[in-house]
Amino acid sequence: MSALAFIPETQPSPARRQGTLHSQEPIATLAHITKRYGATVALDDLSLSLHPGEVVALLGPNGAGKSTTVKLLLGLIAPTSGTTRVFGSDPRSALTRTRVGAMLQVARVTETLRVRDHLDLFRSYYPHPLPVAEILRIAQLQGIENRLFSQLSGGQRQRLLFALAICGNPDLIFLDEPTVGLDIEARRALWQQIRSFAAQGKTVLLTTHYLEEADALAHRIIVINKGRVISQGTPAEIKRNSGGRMIRCQTSLSREFLCTLPGVVNVEYNQGVVVVTASEAEPVVREMLLRDETLSNLEVASPALEDAFLALTKN
């Protein structure tokens, strides 16, 4: 298990939060970012923004540029060209860093410290940290405060790393694969905490390989591939735009007629059941019901996010 909880450099004044939590302006932006590692182009003119009170899932295949994007927003690396702003400032500034929490799969946590020692250490880096009892409750660490990190199970370690990311009561939280190693109950509890953060006006940037997690949590999904943003929108928009919705039913209408309906992209028959794929399902369904009063066993479904993701990133 490896992760990094982001440590600010110094402690700013309490005025750091004023006027930002509920602002409609982006709290973090990448504008026309290019990042090269030698001859390798990790990001290619990439632009994105994060807003208060939203959970954003950053998705992409391995090597797409997700880690580079997060490191830029954290100020861990600098762009080759383009502009990075977090809370209107350089993400490397001390003032900015005290408003950010991060859980990244890039470094190890000291195994010889107890859970409470880790929490006390990280809380000391922030001017207005959460109370220890609150952190323990949120991360479900009650009862193991005096246990060494080396003695924790994989799920307990993951929950502690999450706790370290939220110690400073940050306004912007980066969570990289936060539910790896968690059982179903712990995973759902962490989902609820992420939703609670957004309800408080905090912003969460989530990277995950569990696409059902992104579908369940994200207000907005940004899909990147080969260093570029290739799609973004709500989970429903991502699924709809990647291949339409599927209408399954029994009908006497012919394939030829169904293919003439606006928005229909594919028609398949299988053992008396027709499956119509359409960009917009509702007008197609209305027309089918109008033309066939005997139509039965009607089902309308969106493609799974996994199907949409594979369709978007297959090239």
Side-chain angles (χ1 to χ4, degrees), residues 290-312:
L290 183 64
R291 299 301 185 103
D292 181 9
E293 295 182 354
T294 67
L295 187 147
S296 61
N297 297 323
L298 176 65
E299 299 176 15
V300 180
S302 296
L305 184 59
E306 180 177 350
D307 297 327
F309 176 79
L310 291 173
L312 287 166

Side-chain angles (χ1 to χ4, degrees), residues 4-274:
L4 170 107
F6 198 55
I7 303 174
E9 296 174 352
T10 59
Q11 299 181 0
S13 70
R16 67 183 180 88
R17 296 178 183 271
Q18 295 179 1
T20 61
L21 201 58
H22 301 288
S23 169
Q24 295 304 308
E25 294 297 318
I27 62 168
T29 59
L30 296 179
H32 302 290
I33 294 291
T34 296
K35 178 61 181 178
R36 295 186 178 90
Y37 297 101
T40 301
V41 179
L43 298 179
D44 185 9
D45 195 34
L46 180 141
S47 296
L48 60 80
S49 62
L50 305 176
H51 296 261
E54 67 172 353
V55 178
V56 177
L58 182 65
L59 305 181
N62 291 336
K66 302 187 299 295
S67 294
T68 298
T69 299
V70 171
K71 288 177 182 178
L72 282 163
L73 288 166
L74 285 171
L76 298 177
I77 58 175
T80 304
S81 63
T83 304
T84 306
R85 287 290 180 269
V86 177
F87 301 115
S89 302
D90 189 321
R92 294 170 293 185
S93 74
L95 182 65
T96 299
R97 287 188 168 185
T98 55
R99 303 183 62 183
V100 174
M103 175 180 172
L104 305 182
Q105 306 297 319
V106 296
R108 291 194 177 277
V109 170
T110 303
E111 298 199 356
T112 54
L113 290 180
R114 300 182 186 277
V115 169
R116 180 177 289 275
D117 295 333
H118 277 295
L119 297 181
D120 288 340
L121 176 62
F122 274 80
R123 289 180 72 253
S124 71
Y125 298 134
Y126 296 89
H128 306 289
L130 291 172
V132 170
E134 181 72 0
I135 299 170
L136 292 172
R137 181 192 65 80
I138 291 173
Q140 295 185 301
L141 294 172
Q142 302 100 320
I144 61 171
E145 299 94 324
N146 295 318
R147 195 172 298 177
L148 295 174
F149 186 84
S150 61
Q151 298 173 335
L152 302 180
S153 69
Q156 290 169 339
R157 291 186 180 200
Q158 195 74 349
R159 295 203 300 273
L160 176 58
L161 298 174
F162 173 68
L164 298 182
I166 65 171
C167 270
N169 195 20
D171 295 326
L172 174 59
I173 308 167
F174 295 87
L175 299 177
D176 183 17
E177 304 289 347
T179 61
V180 170
L182 299 186
D183 59 30
I184 293 175
E185 183 178 356
R187 178 177 296 175
R188 294 304 175 93
L190 190 143
W191 287 7
Q192 187 57 43
Q193 290 303 325
I194 292 173
R195 294 187 181 105
S196 176
F197 292 149
Q200 296 170 42
K202 300 177 184 294
T203 303
V204 178
L205 182 65
L206 171 74
T207 60
T208 179
H209 283 96
Y210 299 132
L211 296 186
E212 74 277 11
E213 185 165 85
D215 200 357
L217 288 175
H219 299 99
R220 186 160 54 96
I221 291 174
I222 301 175
V223 183
I224 65 175
N225 195 21
K226 299 178 181 178
R228 290 177 172 267
V229 174
I230 59 173
S231 185
Q232 62 177 309
T234 66
E237 289 169 343
I238 295 290
K239 290 183 285 189
R240 182 171 63 247
N241 294 340
S242 67
R245 298 169 70 190
M246 291 180 290
I247 305 161
R248 184 189 302 269
C249 65
Q250 291 178 307
T251 179
S252 61
L253 298 172
S254 69
R255 180 194 302 270
E256 290 74 20
F257 171 76
L258 292 173
C259 287
T260 66
L261 297 179
V264 170
V265 296
N266 189 48
V267 178
E268 295 181 0
Y269 280 86
N270 183 18
Q271 297 181 344
V273 175
V274 63

